[in-house]
Short mmCIF file of all heavy atoms in Angstrom, two decimals:
data_model
loop_
_atom_site.label_atom_id
_atom_site.label_comp_id
_atom_site.label_asym_id
_atom_site.label_seq_id
_atom_site.Cartn_x
_atom_site.Cartn_y
_atom_site.Cartn_z
N MET B 1 0.81 -1.22 0.00
CA MET B 1 0.00 -0.02 -0.01
C MET B 1 0.86 1.27 0.01
O MET B 1 0.53 2.24 -0.63
CB MET B 1 -0.91 -0.03 1.21
CG MET B 1 -1.95 0.99 1.21
SD MET B 1 -3.08 0.73 -0.17
CE MET B 1 -4.18 2.06 0.08
N ASN B 2 1.94 1.20 0.74
CA ASN B 2 2.85 2.37 0.78
C ASN B 2 3.49 2.65 -0.57
O ASN B 2 3.80 3.80 -0.88
CB ASN B 2 3.94 2.16 1.84
CG ASN B 2 3.37 2.26 3.24
OD1 ASN B 2 2.34 2.85 3.44
ND2 ASN B 2 4.05 1.61 4.17
N MET B 3 3.65 1.57 -1.34
CA MET B 3 4.28 1.74 -2.67
C MET B 3 3.37 2.53 -3.59
O MET B 3 3.83 3.25 -4.48
CB MET B 3 4.62 0.38 -3.25
CG MET B 3 5.54 0.49 -4.41
SD MET B 3 7.01 1.41 -3.97
CE MET B 3 8.24 0.21 -4.18
N LEU B 4 2.03 2.39 -3.42
CA LEU B 4 1.10 3.15 -4.26
C LEU B 4 1.22 4.64 -4.03
O LEU B 4 0.97 5.45 -4.93
CB LEU B 4 -0.32 2.69 -3.97
CG LEU B 4 -0.71 1.33 -4.58
CD1 LEU B 4 -2.13 0.97 -4.18
CD2 LEU B 4 -0.55 1.32 -6.07
N LEU B 5 1.62 5.02 -2.81
CA LEU B 5 1.78 6.44 -2.52
C LEU B 5 2.96 7.04 -3.26
O LEU B 5 3.03 8.25 -3.43
CB LEU B 5 1.96 6.65 -1.00
CG LEU B 5 0.75 6.28 -0.11
CD1 LEU B 5 1.10 6.40 1.35
CD2 LEU B 5 -0.43 7.12 -0.49
N VAL B 6 3.85 6.19 -3.76
CA VAL B 6 4.98 6.66 -4.55
C VAL B 6 4.66 6.51 -6.06
O VAL B 6 4.97 7.39 -6.83
CB VAL B 6 6.24 5.84 -4.19
CG1 VAL B 6 7.40 6.20 -5.12
CG2 VAL B 6 6.63 6.10 -2.74
N LEU B 7 4.09 5.37 -6.43
CA LEU B 7 3.89 5.06 -7.85
C LEU B 7 2.83 5.96 -8.50
O LEU B 7 2.98 6.33 -9.67
CB LEU B 7 3.55 3.60 -8.00
CG LEU B 7 4.66 2.60 -7.71
CD1 LEU B 7 4.15 1.20 -7.87
CD2 LEU B 7 5.81 2.84 -8.65
N ILE B 8 1.74 6.23 -7.83
CA ILE B 8 0.69 7.04 -8.42
C ILE B 8 1.15 8.46 -8.75
O ILE B 8 0.99 8.94 -9.87
CB ILE B 8 -0.60 7.01 -7.59
CG1 ILE B 8 -1.22 5.63 -7.66
CG2 ILE B 8 -1.60 8.05 -8.07
CD1 ILE B 8 -2.42 5.44 -6.73
N PRO B 9 1.78 9.19 -7.79
CA PRO B 9 2.33 10.51 -8.17
C PRO B 9 3.40 10.45 -9.24
O PRO B 9 3.48 11.32 -10.10
CB PRO B 9 2.84 11.08 -6.87
CG PRO B 9 2.16 10.31 -5.81
CD PRO B 9 1.90 8.97 -6.36
N ALA B 10 4.23 9.39 -9.20
CA ALA B 10 5.27 9.27 -10.20
C ALA B 10 4.66 9.08 -11.60
O ALA B 10 5.10 9.66 -12.58
CB ALA B 10 6.20 8.10 -9.88
N ALA B 11 3.59 8.26 -11.73
CA ALA B 11 2.94 8.05 -13.00
C ALA B 11 2.28 9.31 -13.47
O ALA B 11 2.32 9.64 -14.66
CB ALA B 11 1.92 6.91 -12.86
N LEU B 12 1.66 10.04 -12.59
CA LEU B 12 1.02 11.30 -12.96
C LEU B 12 2.07 12.31 -13.40
O LEU B 12 1.84 13.04 -14.39
CB LEU B 12 0.19 11.85 -11.79
CG LEU B 12 -1.08 11.08 -11.43
CD1 LEU B 12 -1.72 11.64 -10.18
CD2 LEU B 12 -2.05 11.12 -12.60
N LEU B 13 3.15 12.38 -12.74
CA LEU B 13 4.23 13.31 -13.10
C LEU B 13 4.80 12.96 -14.51
O LEU B 13 4.99 13.85 -15.33
CB LEU B 13 5.35 13.29 -12.07
CG LEU B 13 6.53 14.20 -12.34
CD1 LEU B 13 6.08 15.65 -12.24
CD2 LEU B 13 7.66 13.92 -11.40
N LEU B 14 5.06 11.68 -14.72
CA LEU B 14 5.58 11.28 -16.02
C LEU B 14 4.57 11.53 -17.14
O LEU B 14 4.94 11.93 -18.25
CB LEU B 14 5.95 9.82 -16.02
CG LEU B 14 7.23 9.48 -15.24
CD1 LEU B 14 7.43 7.97 -15.20
CD2 LEU B 14 8.44 10.15 -15.86
N GLY B 15 3.30 11.35 -16.85
CA GLY B 15 2.26 11.65 -17.82
C GLY B 15 2.22 13.14 -18.17
O GLY B 15 2.05 13.51 -19.32
N LEU B 16 2.31 13.97 -17.18
CA LEU B 16 2.31 15.40 -17.39
C LEU B 16 3.55 15.86 -18.15
O LEU B 16 3.46 16.77 -18.97
CB LEU B 16 2.19 16.15 -16.07
CG LEU B 16 0.80 16.06 -15.39
CD1 LEU B 16 0.84 16.78 -14.02
CD2 LEU B 16 -0.23 16.73 -16.29
N VAL B 17 4.69 15.25 -17.87
CA VAL B 17 5.90 15.57 -18.59
C VAL B 17 5.74 15.19 -20.07
O VAL B 17 6.12 15.97 -20.97
CB VAL B 17 7.13 14.89 -17.97
CG1 VAL B 17 8.35 14.97 -18.88
CG2 VAL B 17 7.44 15.52 -16.64
N GLY B 18 5.18 14.03 -20.34
CA GLY B 18 4.96 13.61 -21.69
C GLY B 18 3.96 14.52 -22.43
O GLY B 18 4.17 14.86 -23.60
N LEU B 19 2.90 14.89 -21.76
CA LEU B 19 1.93 15.81 -22.35
C LEU B 19 2.56 17.18 -22.61
O LEU B 19 2.33 17.77 -23.66
CB LEU B 19 0.70 15.98 -21.42
CG LEU B 19 -0.37 16.89 -21.90
CD1 LEU B 19 -1.02 16.32 -23.17
CD2 LEU B 19 -1.44 17.06 -20.82
N GLY B 20 3.40 17.67 -21.68
CA GLY B 20 4.06 18.91 -21.88
C GLY B 20 5.02 18.88 -23.05
O GLY B 20 5.10 19.82 -23.86
N ALA B 21 5.74 17.76 -23.22
CA ALA B 21 6.65 17.65 -24.35
C ALA B 21 5.89 17.59 -25.68
O ALA B 21 6.32 18.20 -26.65
CB ALA B 21 7.49 16.36 -24.20
N PHE B 22 4.76 16.90 -25.69
CA PHE B 22 3.93 16.87 -26.90
C PHE B 22 3.41 18.26 -27.23
O PHE B 22 3.46 18.69 -28.40
CB PHE B 22 2.78 15.88 -26.73
CG PHE B 22 1.80 15.95 -27.86
CD1 PHE B 22 2.11 15.41 -29.08
CD2 PHE B 22 0.54 16.52 -27.69
CE1 PHE B 22 1.22 15.48 -30.14
CE2 PHE B 22 -0.36 16.58 -28.70
CZ PHE B 22 -0.03 16.07 -29.96
N LEU B 23 2.90 18.98 -26.26
CA LEU B 23 2.37 20.31 -26.54
C LEU B 23 3.46 21.27 -26.99
O LEU B 23 3.26 22.12 -27.83
CB LEU B 23 1.64 20.86 -25.28
CG LEU B 23 0.34 20.13 -24.95
CD1 LEU B 23 -0.21 20.66 -23.62
CD2 LEU B 23 -0.66 20.25 -26.07
N TRP B 24 4.66 21.15 -26.40
CA TRP B 24 5.79 21.98 -26.83
C TRP B 24 6.16 21.68 -28.29
O TRP B 24 6.39 22.61 -29.07
CB TRP B 24 7.01 21.72 -25.94
CG TRP B 24 8.24 22.38 -26.44
CD1 TRP B 24 8.57 23.68 -26.33
CD2 TRP B 24 9.29 21.74 -27.18
NE1 TRP B 24 9.76 23.90 -26.95
CE2 TRP B 24 10.20 22.73 -27.49
CE3 TRP B 24 9.49 20.45 -27.59
CZ2 TRP B 24 11.37 22.46 -28.19
CZ3 TRP B 24 10.64 20.17 -28.34
CH2 TRP B 24 11.58 21.18 -28.62
N ALA B 25 6.17 20.39 -28.66
CA ALA B 25 6.51 20.04 -30.03
C ALA B 25 5.44 20.52 -30.99
O ALA B 25 5.73 20.95 -32.10
CB ALA B 25 6.65 18.52 -30.15
N LEU B 26 4.20 20.50 -30.53
CA LEU B 26 3.10 20.96 -31.37
C LEU B 26 3.19 22.47 -31.62
O LEU B 26 3.02 22.95 -32.72
CB LEU B 26 1.78 20.61 -30.69
CG LEU B 26 0.50 20.72 -31.50
CD1 LEU B 26 0.55 19.77 -32.68
CD2 LEU B 26 -0.68 20.39 -30.62
N LYS B 27 3.52 23.23 -30.54
CA LYS B 27 3.66 24.69 -30.68
C LYS B 27 4.87 25.09 -31.50
O LYS B 27 4.84 26.11 -32.17
CB LYS B 27 3.79 25.31 -29.26
CG LYS B 27 2.52 25.73 -28.66
CD LYS B 27 2.78 26.51 -27.41
CE LYS B 27 1.50 27.03 -26.82
NZ LYS B 27 1.71 27.78 -25.60
N SER B 28 5.94 24.33 -31.41
CA SER B 28 7.18 24.74 -32.10
C SER B 28 7.19 24.30 -33.56
O SER B 28 8.17 24.56 -34.24
CB SER B 28 8.40 24.16 -31.36
OG SER B 28 8.43 22.75 -31.46
N GLY B 29 6.10 23.66 -34.05
CA GLY B 29 6.02 23.36 -35.46
C GLY B 29 6.68 22.06 -35.87
O GLY B 29 7.00 21.89 -37.06
N GLN B 30 6.83 21.13 -34.99
CA GLN B 30 7.48 19.87 -35.32
C GLN B 30 6.63 19.02 -36.24
O GLN B 30 7.13 18.16 -36.93
CB GLN B 30 7.76 19.04 -34.05
CG GLN B 30 8.78 19.69 -33.15
CD GLN B 30 10.14 19.71 -33.73
OE1 GLN B 30 10.59 18.75 -34.36
NE2 GLN B 30 10.86 20.82 -33.62
N PHE B 31 5.33 19.25 -36.27
CA PHE B 31 4.41 18.40 -37.08
C PHE B 31 3.86 19.15 -38.27
O PHE B 31 2.86 18.75 -38.83
CB PHE B 31 3.26 17.95 -36.21
CG PHE B 31 3.69 17.19 -34.97
CD1 PHE B 31 3.56 17.74 -33.74
CD2 PHE B 31 4.31 15.94 -35.09
CE1 PHE B 31 3.95 17.04 -32.61
CE2 PHE B 31 4.73 15.24 -33.97
CZ PHE B 31 4.54 15.80 -32.74
N GLU B 32 4.52 20.25 -38.70
CA GLU B 32 4.04 21.03 -39.81
C GLU B 32 4.26 20.36 -41.17
O GLU B 32 3.39 20.32 -41.99
CB GLU B 32 4.68 22.41 -39.79
CG GLU B 32 4.26 23.27 -38.63
CD GLU B 32 2.82 23.64 -38.64
OE1 GLU B 32 2.24 23.91 -39.73
OE2 GLU B 32 2.17 23.61 -37.58
N ASP B 33 5.46 19.87 -41.41
CA ASP B 33 5.83 19.36 -42.74
C ASP B 33 6.07 17.84 -42.64
O ASP B 33 7.19 17.36 -42.57
CB ASP B 33 7.07 20.02 -43.23
CG ASP B 33 7.41 19.65 -44.66
OD1 ASP B 33 6.53 19.13 -45.37
OD2 ASP B 33 8.57 19.84 -45.05
N LEU B 34 5.00 17.07 -42.62
CA LEU B 34 5.13 15.63 -42.47
C LEU B 34 5.60 14.94 -43.77
O LEU B 34 6.25 13.92 -43.75
CB LEU B 34 3.83 15.00 -42.01
CG LEU B 34 3.37 15.46 -40.62
CD1 LEU B 34 2.04 14.81 -40.31
CD2 LEU B 34 4.40 15.10 -39.56
N ASP B 35 5.25 15.50 -44.92
CA ASP B 35 5.63 14.92 -46.19
C ASP B 35 7.05 15.29 -46.62
O ASP B 35 7.68 14.55 -47.36
CB ASP B 35 4.63 15.32 -47.31
CG ASP B 35 3.27 14.79 -47.05
OD1 ASP B 35 3.17 13.68 -46.45
OD2 ASP B 35 2.31 15.43 -47.45
N GLY B 36 7.52 16.41 -46.18
CA GLY B 36 8.85 16.89 -46.60
C GLY B 36 9.98 15.96 -46.20
O GLY B 36 10.88 15.69 -47.00
N ALA B 37 9.97 15.44 -44.98
CA ALA B 37 11.01 14.57 -44.52
C ALA B 37 11.03 13.25 -45.32
O ALA B 37 12.10 12.73 -45.65
CB ALA B 37 10.86 14.27 -43.05
N SER B 38 9.87 12.73 -45.64
CA SER B 38 9.83 11.48 -46.36
C SER B 38 10.30 11.67 -47.81
O SER B 38 10.82 10.75 -48.42
CB SER B 38 8.45 10.89 -46.33
OG SER B 38 7.50 11.76 -46.94
N GLU B 39 10.10 12.85 -48.35
CA GLU B 39 10.53 13.11 -49.73
C GLU B 39 12.02 13.43 -49.77
O GLU B 39 12.69 13.14 -50.73
CB GLU B 39 9.71 14.24 -50.32
CG GLU B 39 8.27 13.85 -50.58
CD GLU B 39 7.38 15.00 -51.02
OE1 GLU B 39 7.93 16.14 -51.17
OE2 GLU B 39 6.20 14.78 -51.19
N ARG B 40 12.53 14.07 -48.73
CA ARG B 40 13.96 14.42 -48.72
C ARG B 40 14.84 13.20 -48.64
O ARG B 40 15.99 13.22 -49.07
CB ARG B 40 14.25 15.31 -47.51
CG ARG B 40 14.16 16.79 -47.87
CD ARG B 40 14.53 17.67 -46.74
NE ARG B 40 13.27 18.20 -46.23
CZ ARG B 40 12.86 18.10 -44.97
NH1 ARG B 40 13.61 17.58 -44.07
NH2 ARG B 40 11.71 18.60 -44.62
N VAL B 41 14.33 12.08 -48.13
CA VAL B 41 15.11 10.83 -48.08
C VAL B 41 15.38 10.33 -49.48
O VAL B 41 16.43 9.77 -49.75
CB VAL B 41 14.30 9.79 -47.25
CG1 VAL B 41 14.98 8.43 -47.36
CG2 VAL B 41 14.19 10.21 -45.84
N LEU B 42 14.46 10.59 -50.39
CA LEU B 42 14.62 10.07 -51.75
C LEU B 42 15.52 10.92 -52.63
O LEU B 42 15.94 10.47 -53.70
CB LEU B 42 13.22 9.98 -52.41
CG LEU B 42 12.25 9.08 -51.65
CD1 LEU B 42 10.88 9.15 -52.31
CD2 LEU B 42 12.75 7.65 -51.63
N ILE B 43 15.84 12.15 -52.24
CA ILE B 43 16.70 13.02 -53.04
C ILE B 43 18.14 12.58 -52.93
O ILE B 43 18.68 12.39 -51.82
CB ILE B 43 16.55 14.47 -52.57
CG1 ILE B 43 15.10 14.94 -52.79
CG2 ILE B 43 17.52 15.37 -53.30
CD1 ILE B 43 14.83 16.32 -52.25
N ASP B 44 18.79 12.40 -54.08
CA ASP B 44 20.21 12.01 -54.09
C ASP B 44 21.05 13.22 -53.74
O ASP B 44 20.83 14.32 -54.28
CB ASP B 44 20.56 11.49 -55.49
CG ASP B 44 21.90 10.78 -55.48
OD1 ASP B 44 22.41 10.42 -54.40
OD2 ASP B 44 22.43 10.57 -56.58
N GLU B 45 22.04 13.05 -52.85
CA GLU B 45 22.88 14.17 -52.41
C GLU B 45 23.69 14.76 -53.55
O GLU B 45 23.92 15.95 -53.60
CB GLU B 45 23.76 13.75 -51.25
CG GLU B 45 23.04 13.51 -49.98
CD GLU B 45 23.99 13.21 -48.85
OE1 GLU B 45 25.20 13.51 -48.96
OE2 GLU B 45 23.55 12.63 -47.86
N GLU B 46 24.16 13.93 -54.44
CA GLU B 46 24.96 14.43 -55.58
C GLU B 46 24.14 15.34 -56.46
O GLU B 46 24.60 16.35 -56.92
CB GLU B 46 25.53 13.27 -56.38
CG GLU B 46 26.56 12.45 -55.60
CD GLU B 46 27.04 11.26 -56.40
OE1 GLU B 46 26.67 11.16 -57.58
OE2 GLU B 46 27.77 10.43 -55.83
N ASP B 47 22.86 14.95 -56.71
CA ASP B 47 22.02 15.80 -57.54
C ASP B 47 21.72 17.14 -56.86
O ASP B 47 21.63 18.14 -57.49
CB ASP B 47 20.70 15.08 -57.84
CG ASP B 47 20.90 13.89 -58.77
OD1 ASP B 47 21.96 13.84 -59.44
OD2 ASP B 47 20.05 12.99 -58.77
N ALA B 48 21.56 17.09 -55.58
CA ALA B 48 21.28 18.32 -54.85
C ALA B 48 22.47 19.30 -54.87
O ALA B 48 22.27 20.48 -54.96
CB ALA B 48 20.92 18.00 -53.38
N HIS B 49 23.67 18.75 -54.83
CA HIS B 49 24.86 19.60 -54.88
C HIS B 49 25.08 20.18 -56.28
O HIS B 49 25.58 21.30 -56.45
CB HIS B 49 26.10 18.82 -54.45
CG HIS B 49 26.11 18.51 -52.99
ND1 HIS B 49 26.98 19.09 -52.09
CD2 HIS B 49 25.31 17.73 -52.25
CE1 HIS B 49 26.74 18.64 -50.90
NE2 HIS B 49 25.72 17.79 -50.94
N ARG B 50 24.75 19.45 -57.30
CA ARG B 50 24.89 19.97 -58.68
C ARG B 50 23.90 21.06 -58.96
O ARG B 50 24.23 22.03 -59.64
CB ARG B 50 24.66 18.83 -59.67
CG ARG B 50 25.78 17.83 -59.73
CD ARG B 50 25.52 16.80 -60.79
NE ARG B 50 26.28 15.61 -60.49
CZ ARG B 50 25.92 14.40 -60.75
NH1 ARG B 50 24.74 14.19 -61.33
NH2 ARG B 50 26.65 13.36 -60.46
N ASP B 51 22.68 20.95 -58.44
CA ASP B 51 21.65 21.94 -58.71
C ASP B 51 21.90 23.21 -57.93
O ASP B 51 21.52 24.27 -58.37
CB ASP B 51 20.27 21.40 -58.34
CG ASP B 51 19.87 20.24 -59.24
OD1 ASP B 51 20.42 20.15 -60.34
OD2 ASP B 51 19.01 19.43 -58.85
N GLY B 52 22.47 23.10 -56.77
CA GLY B 52 22.50 24.17 -55.83
C GLY B 52 23.49 25.21 -55.93
O GLY B 52 23.40 26.32 -55.61
#
């Protein structure tokens, strides 16, 4: 029973930290360009240097 007095606040704290990290990432624009990263993987570096 005493262990629940430690585990419940610890779980709530970790949940709040995770929620805070998600909201921070949402505000800072981490989820704005979801297609760009997947398309950048396909671009050959040599072609990018020649064009640029």
Side-chain angles (χ1 to χ4, degrees):
M1 190 65 179
N2 288 336
M3 194 53 117
L4 286 178
L5 295 175
V6 173
L7 290 177
I8 291 174
L12 290 174
L13 179 67
L14 287 174
L16 287 175
V17 167
L19 180 64
F22 171 73
L23 291 175
W24 171 78
L26 194 61
K27 269 188 175 179
S28 66
Q30 294 292 319
F31 303 112
E32 292 295 321
D33 186 20
L34 296 178
D35 294 329
S38 62
E39 291 173 2
R40 268 183 255 126
V41 172
L42 301 174
I43 297 174
D44 193 16
E45 288 184 20
E46 293 177 7
D47 291 340
H49 290 249
R50 287 183 202 147
D51 295 338

